[in-house]
Every structure is written in structure tokens, then in C-alpha cells.
Amino acid sequence: MSAKLPMKELFDLPEGVVYLDGNSLGPLPKGALERARTVIGREWGHELIRAWNTAGWMALPQHVGDRIARLVGAAQGSVATGDTLSIKVYQALAAALKMRPGRRAILSDSGNFPSDLYMAEGLIRTIGKDYELRTPAPEDVLDRIDEDVAAVMLTQVDYRTGRMHDMDAVTRAAHAAGAVMIWDLAHSAGAVPIDMAGCRAEFAVGCTYKYLNGGPGAPAFIYVRPDVVEAVEPALAGWLGHDAPFAMELNYRPAMSTERLRVGTPPIVQLAILDRALDVWEGIDMADIRTASIALSELFIAEVEARCPGLALASPRNPAERGSQVSFAFQHGYPAMQALIDRGVIGDFRAPDIMRFGFTPLYIDEADVIAAAETLETVIAQELWRDPKYRTRARVT
Ligand SMILES: *Cc1c(COP(=O)(O)O)cnc(C)c1O
């Protein structure tokens, strides 16, 4: 039987805050601070360089990768951790293009996160051949998969609207056309059930500071389908992706697993915090998370639509087509979100006009949803967003 949700007691959440931004930065799990203290004070401080062996630092990236693998339906040993998601996107895409040398198109969509598209553009400039990045509207992707396409690279859950691609259907279409499939699970891992092994995509990438609560700057992950590992030529051939890093060989020889997509020294403090954060998921069934997330999202939509007629739902109405977030479009979305945050309800804003709310059943319950909708109603009905102090854009929105 799965653990009972929510599990607020497992997090250090500030008093008086309804946190609806765990889709952007998960909150601090209890025990994470203590773990960081141990790694810094005892392991680094006392063990010094010996800690790579004595404190298990060298084994930590793979250990954490295996824990993430369980959450996304991937086999043990098929997920590597490290770097940032943007780097992992680059690596997966570079490898995919090498796997289809005769083809010149990368197919993504206009709902993808800008960094994924920028990394693709940068890769194309680096290769210097006549590659082309295609970005149709998300609903047109299936029709645009053809035999020019080397790689289909999509983010399953749209960061702005929460719109969700059908991983199985798109992967099947990509494979039928002979293309390599890359999924970005940034807004999926820890949010919706994923079956990486079952969907048969060659690559998946994701980050761990969103729904997995690994903290700001927590390392990314990359999955490679085990039977294609040997066809993966690492574009960033760092020493920790080498088959025997400490043999200090003059030439690069890739590791025989997903580990070949590691680059350099792992961020041990962040990995240790992430390892602690993943304890929260022990005994959790992702199907229960999904059920609870849909219930919370449906309640929020109903409450907001009843209370705030000026806001337009920007997410799919059908919960089956939506990830674990709900977005509303509002012309004054930026100042309205600042006014809301000022009153303890934390969501975020995505240009041009999206107010975004993440629903994370680990620490959000129905009372939080109602409280958030009530506060939003006050902000909108009383036009509290008109206060000039909410107009100045911060660096992070
Ligand atoms: C959050 C997110 C990123 C961020 O990439 P970083 O390199 O970790 O900053 C990239 N892509 C998608 C789809 C995201 O949601």
C-alpha cells in the first residue's frame, strides 16, 4: 500500500505559505540540511580527498541515478546524473544526430523550453552542416514527423501551459519514420507516472530541482535505452565518462553504460542533498501522486473560474492532457502574481501573460488549494495588482 498523501511533515515549509511553485523549485526536505552539514563538515572537512572512497562520493552519481530510474520506469544502470539539463539536452541531441548521419532535421515544438531550443541551435552552429530545427505548434508535431527527421526532441509537459504529449504515440511515430526519440522530463519526473522502458525512446533527460526537490542547482539526469548505449558517441568526452578514468589513458574510450554521458567531477554536496530528497519517494506509488494531482488541479480550476471570471484557463481542460500544473492567462499576470506572492501564495509568472501554479501532492492539500483561490480572488476583485510596487520586474519571474 502506498504512503498517505500529503506528507507535509517531511518538508521544512515556512509558516503561512501555500507553495504552488514546486514545479520550478521544490521545497527543502527535512534532513537535507543535516546531510549537507555532514558532507561538508565531516566528510570534506575531516576526510578530505579520502572521502571520494571512504564516504562513497565516487559511487554517489550512479546510486542517485538508480533511484531516479525507479521513478521514471527505467532499468537500473540506465540513468546517469550530473551537469545541468541544458548540457544533457545537448549531449542527447548530438548523439542522436550521429546515430542518423543521413538526416538533417531536428523536430521539436514551439512549446518547448527555450534552453532546449537554444542548445539545438548552438549544436547546429557547431556542427556547421545544413541541419535545420523545426518548431511546429505542439498539436502539429505528429504530422510533421517525416523521413528527413533525425531526432524528435520534445518536452513531455509544456512548461507554460502544462499541455502533455502522449509519449507512447509520439515515440511510435518517430520510430516508424526512422527517427531517434528524445524526451525531456523536466516537468514529468516526480509529477506524472513515466514508463521509460515501455515507451522505447532512446533518450530522456530531466532535472531534479523541480518535482524531485533536489535544491537549487541540483544535477540533471540522462537516460539511454540500454540496447543503444554502444551507438552513443559522446560529444562531450570528459574523463568521468571514460571506461577507466583513473587509468589516465591518453585517448578517450567511452564507458559501456549510460555513464559515458558523464562529463566531469560530480557536484557531491548537491548529489547528497538530492539523495536525501529522494528518500521522500520511498513507498510512494506514482499512480497515487497522479490521482491526487488531478484532484487538486481540478479543484483549483473550478474554484478560480467561479471566483475570477477575468482569468482564462491556459491549460488543457481535460486532465488526461495536462501535467501537474495549471496556468491561467491574465493581462496583468505579472503584477497579479507579485500581489499574490506578497500574500503568501507562491506561484510564478511566464511571459507574456501566464500565471502558473504547480500542484505537488507531497505537500499540498485541498485546504491549500481553496486558500490559494480565495487569495487570488481578493487580488483580482480588489485589483490589488494595481499597486505600483508590483510592477517592477525582478530578474527571476
Ligand atoms: C527547467 C527546464 C530547463 C532548465 O535547464 P537547466 O540547464 O537545468 O537550467 C531546461 N529544459 C526544460 C524543459 C525545463 O523545464
Side-chain angles (χ1 to χ4, degrees):
M1 206 188 78
S2 186
K4 195 172 165 334
L5 298 168
M7 315 167 93
K8 292 186 195 230
E9 68 284 359
L10 297 184
F11 294 89
D12 261 325
L13 288 160
E15 276 301 312
V17 162
V18 176
Y19 195 56
L20 303 181
D21 214 358
N23 52 309
S24 216
L25 177 68
L28 175 65
K30 281 190 183 148
L33 188 57
E34 193 50 42
R35 180 75 183 266
R37 252 190 242 289
T38 303
V39 173
I40 294 170
R42 181 151 11 114
E43 298 176 1
W44 177 23
H46 290 268
E47 288 295 293
L48 296 165
I49 190 89
R50 294 169 292 190
W52 285 105
N53 291 312
T54 57
W57 286 359
M58 212 53 186
L60 198 52
Q62 184 64 67
H63 170 70
V64 169
D66 283 340
R67 298 189 79 182
I68 294 168
R70 275 197 289 278
L71 290 175
V72 298
Q76 297 292 283
S78 64
V79 172
T81 55
D83 314 301
T84 75
L85 176 51
S86 304
I87 303 275
K88 283 350 217 184
V89 166
Y90 186 91
Q91 290 180 291
L93 190 56
L97 297 184
K98 284 272 185 183
M99 288 160 76
R100 296 293 182 273
R103 299 181 176 209
R104 287 290 177 270
I106 300 163
L107 181 66
S108 189
D109 70 30
S110 58
N112 206 345
F113 190 80
S115 199
D116 296 36
L117 302 176
Y118 302 161
M119 292 312 277
E121 289 177 335
L123 175 62
I124 290 174
R125 282 194 294 273
T126 306
I127 312 173
K129 293 196 184 129
D130 48 350
Y131 281 96
E132 178 197 351
L133 172 64
R134 299 177 182 168
T135 51
E139 51 274 18
D140 296 335
V141 163
L142 270 180
D143 291 337
R144 297 289 300 275
I145 299 176
D146 60 31
E147 317 235 312
D148 301 338
V149 174
V152 180
M153 177 190 80
L154 295 170
T155 298
Q156 187 200 9
V157 178
D158 187 309
Y159 74 103
R160 232 192 234 122
T161 63
R163 180 192 191 280
M164 192 158 63
H165 279 296
D166 180 336
M167 278 181 70
D168 287 333
V170 177
T171 304
R172 265 199 308 276
H175 288 168
V180 174
M181 185 74 226
I182 304 167
W183 284 109
D184 189 326
L185 304 179
H187 294 274
S188 311
V192 296
I194 305 286
D195 179 11
M196 268 332 296
C199 104
R200 303 286 300 150
E202 285 84 352
F203 296 95
V205 293
C207 53
T208 62
Y209 48 80
K210 292 173 181 161
Y211 293 91
L212 298 180
N213 313 313
F221 66 88
I222 186 163
Y223 161 85
V224 180
R225 203 178 75 201
D227 63 295
V228 298
V229 160
E230 287 180 43
V232 171
E233 208 176 292
L236 305 175
W239 72 309
L240 289 185
H242 191 280
D243 193 38
F246 280 88
M248 303 292 176
E249 292 169 10
L250 216 46
N251 297 107
Y252 182 76
R253 203 161 46 77
M256 294 312 291
S257 68
T258 309
E259 295 281 283
R260 68 174 55 189
L261 291 175
R262 284 179 58 185
V263 183
T265 303
I268 293 301
V269 179
Q270 289 278 190
L271 273 166
I273 293 170
L274 173 59
D275 187 37
R276 184 66 187 79
L278 292 171
D279 287 351
V280 168
W281 297 92
E282 294 296 329
I284 296 249
D285 186 337
M286 280 310 300
D288 293 341
I289 292 281
R290 178 68 173 154
T291 305
S293 144
I294 288 176
L296 295 172
S297 310
E298 291 286 277
L299 177 63
F300 186 68
I301 292 172
E303 288 287 327
V304 173
E305 288 190 327
R307 295 164 186 273
C308 312
L311 270 57
L313 182 65
S315 298
R317 192 165 289 281
N318 177 358
E321 295 168 13
R322 205 168 61 216
S324 203
Q325 70 177 67
V326 171
S327 300
F328 281 95
F330 179 52
Q331 191 192 349
H332 307 286
Y334 184 78
M337 182 54 78
Q338 304 321 303
L340 197 59
I341 293 170
D342 218 9
R343 287 158 183 80
V345 177
I346 303 183
D348 62 17
F349 172 80
R350 286 295 174 263
D353 62 353
I354 296 287
M355 299 178 78
R356 189 171 72 155
F357 303 90
F359 293 92
T360 47
L362 289 178
Y363 49 86
I364 295 296
D365 59 23
E366 276 187 16
D368 294 323
V369 170
I370 307 268
E374 278 171 3
T375 309
L376 183 57
E377 180 181 16
T378 307
V379 166
I380 301 294
Q382 299 180 19
E383 301 193 350
L384 299 176
W385 49 266
R386 287 197 187 274
D387 190 324
K389 72 179 172 189
Y390 299 133
R391 308 216 149 244
T392 322
R393 293 256 173 140
R395 288 183 67 165
V396 175
T397 64

